[in-house]
C-alpha cells in the first residue's frame, strides 16, 4: 500500500461521513506498494467504541468499475468462508464505494499483523494453505469474474511497448520468453488445468503475520479468473526467492501447504516451471511499464524491474521442478 494522492484530515472526515463508522479520530499514511493511495484511519462512535479501517483511493492504474465490483464480490465470498481478508464496509446507503476527488474510494476493515521480510518455511506453508482455501472458496464464482488480464495478448502488447526502452540483450530475452509463454498458453492440455479466481499478486507486502500465524491477505485489485498454478507461481517467485533463484525448501513447503488442502495435479506440477517463467515475465513487464514512464510525480514509488529480469533468466537457464511424492 502507498500514498499517491495526498489527503487532508478534512478530506478523510468528509469521506467517512458517508459510512456508519463514527467520526475521524486519527489517520496516517500507508507506506508500501505502488498502485493505490491508502490511509489507515481510526474512528470513534458516539458510545465510545473505536474502529480501525483502511481507506483506499483507487488510482487510474487499477481499471474499470466492473473490476472493483468483482473484487468486492470476491472479498464478500472470502469473508463468508472465514478467510483472513479485509471486509468491505458499506456506506449508509448500502454502496460498496464512494468518490473522492473524482476517484473511487473504498473503506475496509484493518487487519492486524506485520509484513514478513525474510519468510521461513512455516510461513510459506501458510501462504500455500491460504491459496488452496481461497481457490476452493471462489471456484463457484469464477464465471462471474473477468479473466486475469495478463494473458498472451497483454504480454505481447506490453512487450511491444517496452522493448525499445531496454538493451538489445534484454529485448532478445523478453521476446524469447514471450514466445515460450505464448506457446504454453496455447496448449490444449494447459487449457484443462484447474482454474478458479486467483489473487495474482500475493507478494510479501500483501500478507500479514502475527504471533499466531497468518493474520491477513491484502490487495485483491488484480484478482481474476485464471489458472490455480499461476497463483502458486506468483507466490513462489516472491516468497521463495533467494536472490535470482528459488529456494527449494521454501518452495516445497509452500506447495505442501497448498496440497494439504487441495491436491496439486500431476499436470500442474509438470507445467509449474513454465508458469514460474510466465509469472516472472508478467511482473518484469509490469515494472518496466512504470520504470520507463517520464510523467510520474517525483514521489511515485518505482520498483526495480531487474529483480524479475534476473528471475526470468534464472527460470530459463535452470527451471525449478518438483515431483509429486515430495509433497506428501
Amino acid at each position: 500500500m502507498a500514498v499517491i494522492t495526498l489527503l487532508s484530515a478534512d478530506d478523510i472526515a468528509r469521506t467517512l461521513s458517508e459510512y456508519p463508522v463514527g467520526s475521524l479520530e486519527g489517520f496516517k499514511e500507508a507506506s508500501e506498494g505502488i498502485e493505490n493511495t491508502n490511509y489507515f484511519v481510526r474512528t470513534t462512535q458516539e458510545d465510545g467504541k473505536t474502529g480501525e479501517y483502511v481507506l483506499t483511493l483507487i488510482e487510474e492504474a487499477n481499471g474499470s468499475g466492473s473490476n472493483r465490483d468483482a473484487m468486492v464480490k470476491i472479498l464478500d465470498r472470502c469473508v463468508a468462508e472465514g478467510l483472513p481478508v479485509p471486509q468491505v464496509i458499506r456506506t449508509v446507503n448500502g454502496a460498496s464505494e464512494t468518490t473522492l476527488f473524482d476517484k473511487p474510494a473504498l473503506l475496509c476493515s484493518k487487519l492486524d499483523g506485520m509484513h514478513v521480510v525474510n519468510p521461513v518455511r512455516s510461513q510459506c506453508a501458510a501462504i500455500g494453505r491460504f491459496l488452496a482455501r481461497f481457490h476452493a472458496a471462489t471456484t463457484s464464482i469464477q464465471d462471474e469474474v473477468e479473466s486475469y488480464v495478463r494473458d498472451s495478448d497483454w504480454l505481447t502488447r506490453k512487450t511491444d511497448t517496452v522493448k525499445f526502452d531496454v538493451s538489445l540483450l534484454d529485448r532478445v530475452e523478453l521476446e524469447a520468453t514471450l514466445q515460450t509463454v505464448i506457446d504454453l498458453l496455447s496448449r490444449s492440455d494447459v487449457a484443462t488445468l484447474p482454474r478458479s479466481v486467483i489473487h495474482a499478486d500475493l507478494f510479501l507486502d500483501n500478507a500479514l503475520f502475527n504471533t499466531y500465524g497468518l493474520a491477513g491477505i491484502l490487495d485483491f485489485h488484480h484478482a481474476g479468473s485464471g489458472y490455480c498454478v499461476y497463483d502458486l507461481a506468483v507466490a513462489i517467485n516472491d516468497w521463495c526467492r533467494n536472490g535470482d533463484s528459488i529456494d527449494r525448501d521454501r518452495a516445497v513447503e509452500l506447495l505442501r501447504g497448498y496440497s494439504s488442502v487441495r491436491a496439486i495435479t500431476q499436470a500442474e506440477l509438470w507445467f509449474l516451471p513454465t508458469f514460474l517463467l510466465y509469472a516472472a515475465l508478467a511482473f518484469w513487464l509490469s515494472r518496466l511499464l512504470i520504470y520507463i514512464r517520464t510523467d510520474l510525480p517525483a514521489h511515485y514509488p518505482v520498483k526495480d524491474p531487474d529483480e524479475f529480469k534476473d528471475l526470468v533468466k534464472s527460470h530459463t537457464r535452470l527451471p525449478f521442478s518438483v515431483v509429486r511424492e515430495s509433497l506428501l
Side-chain angles (χ1 to χ4, degrees), residues 23-258:
S23 58
L24 179 64
E25 178 74 14
F27 69 95
K28 68 176 181 178
E29 303 171 357
S31 59
E32 297 178 356
I34 61 174
E35 291 187 339
N36 292 316
T37 289
N38 294 277
Y39 280 82
F40 299 124
V41 299
R42 187 173 65 257
T43 65
T44 303
Q45 300 272 14
E46 291 183 358
D47 60 4
K49 291 183 179 179
T50 60
E52 293 190 341
Y53 304 93
V54 178
L55 176 63
T56 299
L57 194 63
I58 306 296
E59 303 292 346
E60 181 181 1
N62 273 313
S64 67
S66 62
N67 291 339
R68 295 192 304 278
D69 291 342
M71 182 187 70
V72 171
K73 184 188 295 288
I74 292 165
L75 289 174
D76 286 347
R77 173 58 62 91
C78 289
V79 169
E81 293 293 328
L83 293 176
V85 305
Q87 181 174 6
V88 179
I89 309 300
R90 267 50 178 190
T91 69
V92 292
N93 295 321
S96 60
E97 65 180 50
T98 185
T99 302
L100 180 60
F101 296 137
D102 296 323
K103 297 178 181 181
L106 292 91
L107 189 70
C108 294
S109 58
K110 181 179 179 294
L111 303 176
D112 292 326
M114 301 289 290
H115 295 299
V116 173
V117 177
N118 297 303
V120 296
R121 285 184 291 179
S122 62
Q123 291 166 330
C124 293
I127 292 299
R129 288 192 296 272
F130 171 84
L131 279 176
R133 292 179 63 201
F134 174 66
H135 294 162
T138 58
T139 297
S140 62
I141 63 170
Q142 63 176 302
D143 292 339
E144 304 171 41
V145 177
E146 292 185 9
S147 296
Y148 177 59
V149 68
R150 294 176 183 174
D151 57 10
S152 294
D153 289 341
W154 186 93
L155 295 170
T156 301
R157 287 187 284 105
K158 301 311 179 185
T159 297
D160 288 341
T161 298
V162 305
K163 66 183 181 182
F164 295 112
D165 290 285
V166 299
S167 70
L168 177 59
L169 288 177
D170 287 352
R171 189 189 316 167
V172 171
E173 191 84 43
L174 271 174
E175 292 178 334
T177 306
L178 172 65
Q179 189 58 56
T180 299
V181 174
I182 288 175
D183 291 344
L184 168 77
L185 297 177
S186 66
R187 294 179 60 120
S188 58
D189 47 0
V190 168
T192 65
L193 293 176
R195 296 176 62 94
S196 184
V197 175
I198 60 173
H199 183 284
D201 195 28
L202 215 176
F203 279 39
L204 291 167
D205 58 4
N206 283 330
L208 299 171
F209 280 81
N210 58 26
T211 55
Y212 301 102
L214 181 64
I217 299 294
L218 313 172
D219 197 351
F220 289 76
H221 296 283
H222 293 283
S225 174
Y227 293 111
C228 298
V229 67
Y230 178 82
D231 229 3
L232 283 166
V234 170
I236 289 171
N237 275 345
D238 198 49
W239 287 84
C240 309
R241 187 168 76 238
N242 184 11
D244 60 358
S245 62
I246 297 299
D247 181 287
R248 184 174 187 82
D249 289 341
R250 279 184 282 157
V252 168
E253 283 303 311
L254 193 152
L255 292 168
R256 280 177 179 163
Y258 187 94

Side-chain angles (χ1 to χ4, degrees), residues 251-252 255-256 259-260 264 269 322-328:
V252 168
L255 292 168
R256 280 177 179 163
S259 62
S260 71
I264 302 173
L269 289 179
V322 62
V323 296
R324 194 173 185 181
E325 289 72 21
S326 67
L327 306 183
L328 300 178

